Each structure stands twice: as structure tokens, then as C-alpha cells.
């Protein structure tokens, strides 16, 4: 019996060490430069698209022709920069 | 490509052709080649996952190993990004990952159809993720979820400027998610077809060069097919994490 327990604790140690080595090497860097650039640019463009969309909607509803578009375009651009900043920070953390 | 058609556009492969016409009211619900590709994808995933683990042997066969690896891959991904709480959302993430991955792979077969190269398909997928994550956020935190749009430690006079920016940034998620997958697949498949044209049009035997390039590109496309499914899954995990933990 004692022998068996020894074996089990031995096995546990082995499993733990393997799991630890797995954790350190998980999430490897698989991204190429192209996909990285693409990620950044879509983040930037998507926020602009949403900003312009909201701006046009606001203009339609409230008849404020150019101003809604102008304001929300600028806000959208800021949101795009924020997105890029966030993606960069996430990558820095890894 | 038939001689009578003489359509040599590299975009021809993305054309939707209905097989069975079916309309409800004014809504066209025809069964198209895109639908067929999706049905095939679902069938392949279901058959593969059920048959491969059917034996349940402790020492897995190669096929069983593949499905176990794909399970472990997503489980690890969820653990790394969301933590133990993320267990609950494993079926959702795994379904999306497998659907996009196998869909891309089915699209790599000659004469098949890549449904992920249509923005409406990827946008529908991204919208499911977006709406699901938003509902999850409200269910977990109630009205507190709105505090997600407030960056902590900010002076109050900056809030009117930054809350709209945060909201726009949040709304841009499904767009960037869907455009990334769609544009990658569209660009890759178009590029392969463009190089295929060079094979035909180049004089003498110099068409071998673009042919060799197509072989390399196909390899790259398979890598991208996997990578985009991975990116879709990891972003879904990150969004779930945001909804659960707020910042």
C-alpha cells in the first residue's frame, strides 16, 4: 500500500511539472507581421465606420446636417486610436 | 471553367447560386451553394467529433488525438483568457472555433465554396458573439454593466467626451471581428485565382513559376484559415472576459 502511495505522489509531481512547463509555453507567438498589421488597421477602420454611421443617423433624426457627422467622425477616430492602443497594450502584456 | 461561359473573373468563385428556390413572404430563403457548404461543414464536424472519440481508448488513435487536441486547445485558451469561470462558455467558443475552422478548410478544397468569404456570414457570427456577450454582461452585472464604459480614475469633466468614445469603441467590435475574417479569406482566395490566371496566360512553360507560387500560397492559406479561426475564438474569449470582469 505504502509503495502505491509513493507511486501516486510521484505521478502527481510529474503531472504538476508537465503542467507548469505547458503553462509557460502556452499562447505562443503565432502571428505574422501581415496579420498583425491587418488587426491594427481593422480596429482603426471599424471604429471610424461606426462613428460615421452614428453621425449620419444623428443628422437624419435631428436635421443637424453636417455637425453630427463631423463630431461623431472625430469621436470615431479617437475610438479607433483607443482600440489600437488597447491591442498594443494587450500584446505588450504577453 | 467551361469554354462557353468564358467568365475568367477571379471573383467568380464567390458567386451565390441557389439550388432550391424557397420563399417565405418576400424573404428569399433559397438553399444556395453557401448553405450547402455550411451543411457540409456542420456534418463534417459532427461526424468527425463523434466518430473519432467513439472508441474511447486510453491510448488514443491519431484521429482521436486530433479531436482531443482541438478540445484541449480551446479549453486552454479559455483558461488563459477568462480563467476557471470561463468553463461554462466552452461549448459556445468551441462551436464557433470549429465552425469557422472547418468552414475555412472546406473552402480550401477545389470546386467548393468558402462561406466565410461573405461579409454577411462573418457579420452574423460576430453579431451573435456581440449580442451574446452584451446580454451576458447585463445578466451578470445588471445596470452596473454601464460602468464598463467609464475608465476608472478619470476626472469627471472628461466623462462626456470619453463615454461616447468608449461606446463607439464597443460598437466597433463586431465590425472589426467580422471584417478581419472576411477580408482575409476573400483576399487569399482571390490571390490564388489571380495567380492561376497567370499560369494560363504566361508564354511557353514559364507558367510553372506561378504554379509553384500557388502551391506555396495554398499552404499559406491553410495557415491563415487556422489563424483566423484562432483569432475569432481568442477575441470571443476576451470579450467574454470583459463582460464577466468589467475592465
Amino acid at each position: 500500500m505504502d509503495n502505491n502511495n509513493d507511486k501516486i505522489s510521484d505521478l502527481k509531481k510529474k503531472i504538476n511539472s508537465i503542467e507548469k512547463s505547458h503553462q509557460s509555453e502556452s499562447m505562443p507567438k503565432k502571428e505574422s507581421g501581415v496579420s498583425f498589421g491587418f488587426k491594427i488597421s481593422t480596429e482603426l477602420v471599424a471604429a471610424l465606420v461606426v462613428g460615421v454611421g452614428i453621425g449620419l443617423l444623428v443628422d437624419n433624426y435631428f436635421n443637424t446636417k453636417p455637425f453630427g457627422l463631423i463630431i461623431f467622425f472625430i469621436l470615431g477616430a479617437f475610438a479607433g486610436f483607443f482600440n489600437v492602443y488597447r491591442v498594443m497594450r494587450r500584446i505588450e502584456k504577453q | 471553367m467551361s469554354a462557353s461561359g468564358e467568365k475568367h473573373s477571379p471573383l467568380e468563385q464567390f458567386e451565390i447560386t441557389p439550388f432550391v428556390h424557397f420563399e417565405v413572404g418576400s424573404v428569399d430563403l433559397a438553399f444556395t451553394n453557401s448553405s450547402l457548404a455550411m451543411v457540409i461543414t456542420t456534418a463534417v464536424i459532427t461526424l468527425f467529433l463523434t466518430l473519432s472519440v467513439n472508441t474511447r481508448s486510453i491510448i488514443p488513435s491519431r484521429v482521436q488525438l486530433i479531436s482531443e487536441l482541438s478540445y484541449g486547445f480551446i479549453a486552454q485558451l479559455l483558461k488563459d483568457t477568462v480563467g476557471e469561470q470561463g468553463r461554462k462558455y466552452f461549448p459556445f467558443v468551441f462551436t464557433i472555433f470549429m465552425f469557422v475552422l472547418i468552414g475555412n478548410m472546406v473552402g480550401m478544397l477545389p470546386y467548393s465554396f468558402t462561406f466565410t468569404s461573405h461579409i454577411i456570414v462573418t457579420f452574423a457570427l460576430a453579431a451573435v458573439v456581440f449580442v451574446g456577450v452584451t446580454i451576458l454582461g447585463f445578466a451578470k452585472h445588471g445596470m452596473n454593466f454601464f460602468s464598463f464604459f467609464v475608465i476608472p480614475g478619470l476626472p469627471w469633466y472628461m466623462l462626456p467626451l470619453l463615454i461616447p468614445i468608449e461606446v463607439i469603441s464597443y460598437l466597433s467590435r463586431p465590425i472589426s471581428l467580422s471584417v478581419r475574417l472576411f477580408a482575409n479569406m476573400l483576399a487569399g482566395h482571390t490571390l490564388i485565382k489571380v495567380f492561376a490566371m497567370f499560369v494560363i496566360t504566361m508564354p511557353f512553360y514559364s507558367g510553372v513559376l506561378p504554379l509553384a507560387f500557388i502551391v506555396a500560397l495554398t499552404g499559406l492559406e491553410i495557415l491563415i484559415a487556422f489563424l483566423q479561426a484562432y483569432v475569432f475564438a481568442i477575441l470571443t474569449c476576451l470579450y467574454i472576459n470583459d463582460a464577466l470582469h468589467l475592465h
Side-chain angles (χ1 to χ4, degrees):
Chain A
M1 253 343 250
D2 210 41
N3 198 18
N4 261 357
N5 274 345
D6 268 2
K7 266 186 188 169
I8 286 171
S9 64
D10 229 38
L11 203 61
K12 263 185 189 163
K13 261 182 207 161
K14 259 188 198 168
I15 289 171
N16 274 339
S17 68
I18 288 171
E19 264 182 356
K20 257 181 201 157
S21 69
H22 262 282
Q23 263 166 13
S24 58
E25 74 184 35
S26 66
M27 306 252 292
K29 264 202 151 173
K30 282 180 197 145
E31 272 180 272
S32 63
V34 178
S35 80
F36 174 70
F38 203 80
K39 203 161 150 185
I40 299 284
S41 56
T42 47
E43 292 290 349
L44 201 61
V45 172
L48 268 176
V49 167
V50 172
V52 167
I54 293 175
L56 288 176
L57 278 179
V58 165
D59 278 349
N60 246 341
Y61 271 109
F62 302 108
N63 266 330
T64 49
K65 198 96 201 234
F67 299 108
L69 183 59
I70 291 169
I71 290 166
F72 278 98
F73 178 83
I74 293 168
L75 286 179
F78 274 121
F81 292 138
F82 250 76
N83 281 349
V84 172
Y85 168 70
R86 254 186 224 126
V87 170
M88 289 310 295
R89 209 171 51 175
R90 204 162 64 216
I91 291 166
E92 293 266 293
K93 259 187 205 165
Q94 275 171 21
Chain B
M1 254 181 249
S2 62
S4 59
E6 283 304 328
K7 280 195 292 183
H8 288 310
S9 164
L11 296 176
E12 192 198 335
Q13 53 175 326
F14 303 120
E15 225 164 85
I16 298 263
T17 44
F19 293 142
V20 184
H21 288 279
F22 181 64
E23 273 183 34
V24 179
S26 59
V27 186
D28 190 6
L29 293 178
F31 189 82
T32 61
N33 51 358
S34 180
S35 333
L36 182 67
M38 286 184 217
V39 170
I40 291 173
T41 303
T42 319
V44 166
I45 294 170
T46 315
L47 282 177
F48 172 68
L49 287 181
T50 45
L51 289 183
S52 60
V53 294
N54 217 7
T55 48
R56 288 198 184 82
S57 52
I58 292 174
I59 301 166
S61 62
R62 285 198 191 87
V63 190
Q64 190 185 341
L65 200 63
I66 294 173
S67 51
E68 279 177 5
L69 271 177
S70 55
Y71 178 97
F73 181 64
I74 296 297
Q76 187 65 41
L77 193 67
L78 260 173
K79 211 171 153 190
D80 287 343
T81 48
V82 188
E84 283 300 318
Q85 277 175 295
R87 273 286 154 81
K88 267 187 273 179
Y89 310 102
F90 174 80
F92 179 61
V93 179
F94 189 65
T95 309
I96 283 192
F97 173 73
M98 287 308 271
F99 189 64
V100 174
L101 176 66
I102 304 295
N104 290 346
M105 290 302 180
V106 164
M108 286 309 297
L109 298 173
Y111 294 104
S112 77
F113 182 85
T114 327
F115 61 79
T116 42
S117 63
H118 281 260
I119 182 102
I120 190 66
V121 176
T122 58
F123 188 73
L125 280 172
V128 168
V129 172
F130 178 73
V131 172
V133 163
T134 310
I135 291 173
L136 176 67
F138 275 113
K140 277 269 165 192
H141 303 281
M143 285 300 130
N144 265 341
F145 182 65
F146 285 112
S147 70
F148 178 66
F149 300 119
V150 182
I151 301 168
L154 209 67
W156 59 270
Y157 47 83
M158 288 295 280
L159 288 183
L161 185 66
L162 275 166
I163 286 176
I165 289 177
E166 283 293 307
V167 171
I168 289 174
S169 160
Y170 188 71
L171 290 177
S172 73
R173 278 174 174 190
I175 295 179
S176 67
L177 194 59
S178 57
V179 165
R180 197 173 300 138
L181 175 59
F182 143 77
N184 266 300
M185 300 319 290
L186 184 84
H189 283 256
T190 313
L191 197 62
I192 287 182
K193 288 285 153 45
V194 168
F195 272 92
M197 294 285 287
F198 292 161
V199 178
I200 307 169
T201 51
M202 272 170 83
F204 302 116
Y205 292 105
S206 56
V208 185
L209 290 172
L211 186 67
F213 202 74
I214 288 177
V215 175
L217 265 183
T218 308
L220 182 76
E221 268 304 288
I222 289 173
L223 176 76
I224 287 178
F226 173 75
L227 210 68
Q228 286 307 313
Y230 169 73
V231 166
F232 209 97
I234 199 172
L235 283 174
T236 307
C237 292
L238 284 175
Y239 294 162
I240 290 173
N241 181 40
D242 276 351
L244 285 180
H245 299 123
L246 301 183
H247 299 292

